[in-house]
Amino acid sequence: MTTYRFTCIVCPLGCAIEVDLKEGKVLGVRGHTCPRGKEWAIQEVMNPKRVVMSVLPVEGGALPTVSVKTAEPVPKERIPELMKFLAGIKLKAPVKIGDVVAEWEGIKIVATRGA
Amino acid sequence: MEPSEIPMLSYDVVVIGGGPAGMAAAARARELGLKVLLLEENDYLGGILPQCIHPGFGIHYFREELTGPEFASRLAKRLVELGVEYKTAARVIEIENYSDLEKVVVFASPGGVCQVWTKAIIYAAGARERHAFEIGIAGDRVSGIYTAGEAQTLMDIYGVLPGKEIVIVGSGDVGLIMARRFALEGAKVKAVVELMPYPGGLARNVMILRDFNIPLYLSHKVVEVRGKGRVQRVKVVKVDENFQEVPGSEFWIEADTLIISAGLIPSVKPLRKIGVEIDPATGGPVVNDRLETSVPGIFAAGNSLVINDLVDYVAEQGELAAEGAREFIENGGIGSRKWVKVEKGPNVRLVVPHYLSGERDVYLYLRVAKPMEDVELRIPEIGKRLRLPVVKPAEMIRFRLKAGEIQRAEGKLTVEVVKA
């Protein structure tokens, strides 16, 4: 059995939650104050996801890069692959904020800054 | 150029700084019918937001989670729609205060030097970062030492990775967020070194360290940098509860880059020059509940007023200052029958604003000195009590006082955070 410990980020309370995991199954959750915290902690252990942000080089804009984010959270262990994909992209101005500038495995890459 | 040749402009209010506080202030001032000019020294609006490409902004102000550039662009769009006049690449050289409704702002821009007459000024110039010398790091003068904000500008505006093996000083939000950016972009973050016995940032940002297996050294400090031309290694030492170095505890970390993320200091130099009273606890001006400084008609908002952790509060302060400017111009001053002074009690490190009129509801912003659990925020003079499960220095507490509550006070209100 493995016990994962972390600070809950659902709200400012910052509960210290512990999740016991054995062979891919959650055996117990401790330390949470509310059901949302419990749910978050289980997701965090079973399938942690993050919104990923980066910058892409852009030609002909006011600034040399545009910032981008994934339109949805990405499984944590796949983030390095996504970053490699992003490293190969170059854009040309004009780029508008909100434009979908690329797509990776069905996940849209959205510009968060114009150029 | 002879003084007579200097172009002369005239406005109701000049806003200094085009970050979130300044943009929100300028937009609100325009909405209130004032003739407003916004001056920004950078080439683009937004202050530090365009380089803060991570999400987490705007949950209170726009009720939506945005990245920094997105938050900035929403405010900039509002400015344009309202027809607010603004100048970028405009650096303020001097503020002159002739009388309550006669002030001059002198600025330089690519068009030359310009002076503007104005009735009121909203000062929203933000903050600067503490640098390596201020926190007592000794050693070689080498390249590869940056503040977190400098590294962020390099990486997220210019697309340049500042180094490959990185040590970060300070575990506040800025340091933690930069740790994630370095790790994502393929640099190795070898350590985050924190002087205090607890992390300095919000819980959601402390989690970044676990995401990327970055070691956090609490109660440690970087004391020395060594290298030939470029940083090669940094010396870390443990400190005791009085921040004294523990003999024999030092160790070296090999790194090519040292990032200093040791806190922000409000930029108030032009305000000091005209005699604005500064609060040593915040580093920003002493203000009343309209965010007016001790010089009538000069208002402050955002990180120039007090270091905030949420941009939402920064924008809120900008709007509040704009409302103050309108009242000041209409009535020739911010009046009150009596001013109630806000004083700091146990475990309150800072609180803003400093003087309340009791003529309107007000938000107080405060920070505690040390973390505590299961506490009450109390104002004994008026019997106010607010239960708080957890307080941390990293998280600003914002709470509302009603005009009626303030009126019940005689001369002062003491804010304290004590065990419930």
Side-chain angles (χ1 to χ4, degrees):
Chain A
M1 189 181 75
T2 321
T3 300
Y4 293 85
R5 292 185 182 83
F6 35 68
T7 309
C8 183
I9 56 163
V10 170
C11 86
L13 268 184
C15 295
I17 305 189
E18 292 185 343
V19 181
D20 296 333
L21 198 71
K22 194 179 181 183
E23 288 156 9
K25 279 197 172 139
V26 174
L27 295 185
V29 184
R30 287 180 301 278
H32 58 283
T33 313
C34 71
R36 280 169 70 210
K38 184 177 178 182
E39 199 181 302
W40 175 82
I42 293 170
Q43 147 114 33
E44 187 54 30
V45 170
M46 301 298 287
N47 183 20
K49 289 182 173 184
R50 301 285 183 266
V51 168
V52 176
M53 57 280 155
S54 187
V55 291
L56 303 178
V58 63
E59 219 176 83
L63 299 176
T65 63
V66 291
S67 50
V68 295
K69 67 177 179 188
T70 55
E72 56 194 284
V74 177
K76 209 171 97 176
E77 80 277 1
R78 300 208 60 195
I79 292 174
E81 279 174 68
L82 167 62
M83 293 305 290
K84 276 206 187 90
F85 167 77
L86 292 177
I89 300 176
K90 284 192 173 68
L91 302 174
K92 278 204 168 97
V95 177
K96 284 204 309 292
I97 192 165
D99 282 358
V100 175
V101 297
E103 198 167 313
W104 176 77
E105 315 247 325
I107 293 172
K108 291 183 168 67
I109 310 298
V110 182
T112 58
R113 198 166 65 207
Chain B
M1 203 187 281
E2 290 294 311
S4 60
E5 293 176 51
I6 296 176
M8 192 76 88
L9 306 165
S10 180
Y11 286 86
D12 291 326
V13 54
V14 171
V15 177
I16 299 173
M23 286 199 289
R28 186 81 187 115
R30 186 76 199 92
E31 280 174 358
L32 295 170
L34 301 177
K35 191 181 177 211
V36 50
L37 175 68
L38 172 71
L39 299 174
E40 163 58 44
E41 70 175 23
N42 230 324
D43 292 338
Y44 48 87
L45 288 177
I48 53 159
L49 286 175
Q51 70 191 55
C52 300
I53 65 166
H54 52 285
F57 298 90
I59 296 156
H60 301 277
Y61 194 76
F62 289 115
R63 304 206 177 279
E64 198 179 329
E65 185 162 352
L66 303 170
T67 65
E70 289 170 328
F71 191 102
S73 112
R74 296 262 179 117
L75 284 177
K77 190 162 168 260
R78 198 170 139 208
L79 284 187
V80 171
E81 282 169 2
L82 287 163
V84 173
E85 289 180 63
Y86 68 88
K87 284 186 196 301
T88 53
R91 189 186 187 92
V92 171
I93 302 167
E94 193 110 55
I95 296 171
E96 292 155 9
N97 184 51
Y98 291 102
S99 73
D100 282 6
L101 287 164
E102 293 172 299
K103 303 171 198 313
V104 168
V105 177
V106 184
F107 68 92
S109 70
V113 174
C114 207
Q115 54 178 334
V116 187
W117 282 89
T118 185
K119 294 170 187 164
I121 293 170
I122 298 173
Y123 187 85
R128 71 167 179 84
E129 298 180 278
R130 297 215 299 156
H131 50 70
F133 298 133
E134 274 173 293
I135 56 171
I137 297 178
D140 296 322
R141 292 201 164 198
V142 286
S143 64
I145 304 176
Y146 302 93
T147 65
E150 284 168 353
Q152 193 178 50
T153 309
L154 271 178
M155 194 153 40
D156 293 336
I157 299 285
Y158 296 103
V160 177
L161 191 60
K164 294 199 182 80
E165 296 194 302
I166 293 166
V167 172
I168 298 175
V169 176
S171 65
D173 292 316
V174 184
L176 296 169
I177 282 161
M178 287 317 292
R180 172 172 59 194
R181 287 290 298 134
F182 292 132
L184 273 174
E185 296 298 341
K188 172 93 185 131
V189 183
K190 302 194 89 173
V192 172
V193 182
E194 170 61 54
L195 180 66
M196 304 302 281
Y198 46 83
L202 303 171
R204 65 172 185 229
N205 291 329
V206 177
M207 208 170 68
I208 289 166
L209 300 173
R210 188 172 54 89
D211 275 1
F212 294 99
N213 297 314
I214 298 168
L216 170 65
Y217 293 96
L218 297 172
S219 295
H220 278 75
K221 68 186 210 182
V222 169
V223 288
E224 201 177 318
V225 186
R226 286 294 164 201
K228 287 198 175 93
R230 175 88 191 190
V231 176
Q232 284 168 325
R233 57 188 194 280
V234 300
K235 187 172 158 183
V236 181
V237 59
K238 194 172 170 31
V239 297
D240 63 20
E241 59 271 27
N242 302 314
F243 306 115
Q244 297 301 305
E245 294 173 23
V246 176
S249 67
E250 62 271 4
F251 58 97
W252 291 89
I253 301 176
E254 304 280 320
D256 60 19
T257 304
L258 181 66
I259 301 292
I260 311 296
S261 175
L264 301 171
I265 295 172
S267 292
V268 291
K269 221 177 184 176
L271 296 184
R272 276 185 199 276
K273 268 169 88 174
I274 53 166
V276 166
E277 188 188 344
I278 303 295
D279 174 358
T282 59
V286 171
V287 292
N288 63 28
D289 58 6
R290 285 298 202 193
L291 303 189
E292 184 189 34
T293 68
S294 62
V295 173
I298 297 190
F299 299 79
N303 280 0
S304 297
L305 169 64
V306 60
I307 303 303
N308 290 271
D309 35 62
L310 297 182
V311 70
D312 307 75
Y313 297 169
V314 165
E316 173 181 277
Q317 289 157 14
E319 299 210 2
L320 199 59
E323 282 155 23
R326 201 252 316 242
E327 182 184 324
F328 176 80
I329 291 164
E330 276 184 2
N331 303 340
I334 303 288
S336 171
R337 281 173 299 255
K338 60 167 188 180
W339 287 106
V340 174
K341 189 168 193 289
V342 181
E343 295 200 339
K344 292 177 286 178
N347 203 20
V348 173
R349 185 160 69 83
L350 59 85
V351 56
V352 169
H354 306 77
Y355 291 94
L356 311 179
S357 65
E359 279 158 38
R360 59 189 72 89
D361 297 355
V362 64
Y363 282 116
L364 289 184
Y365 303 91
L366 78 88
R367 276 187 202 280
V368 295
K370 57 178 194 295
M372 274 171 92
E373 280 178 26
D374 199 18
V375 292
E376 259 184 10
L377 188 156
R378 288 187 195 154
I379 304 178
E381 289 91 344
I382 54 170
K384 176 100 177 169
R385 282 160 172 246
L386 203 69
R387 194 71 179 258
L388 299 168
V390 185
V391 294
K392 299 171 189 169
E395 290 179 24
M396 191 179 241
I397 301 164
R398 167 179 168 273
F399 69 102
R400 198 176 175 85
L401 277 184
K402 294 235 173 258
E405 292 178 295
I406 300 163
Q407 282 159 13
R408 293 212 303 274
E410 292 295 330
K412 73 175 174 99
L413 287 172
T414 313
V415 184
E416 54 188 47
V417 175
V418 290
K419 242 353 194 186

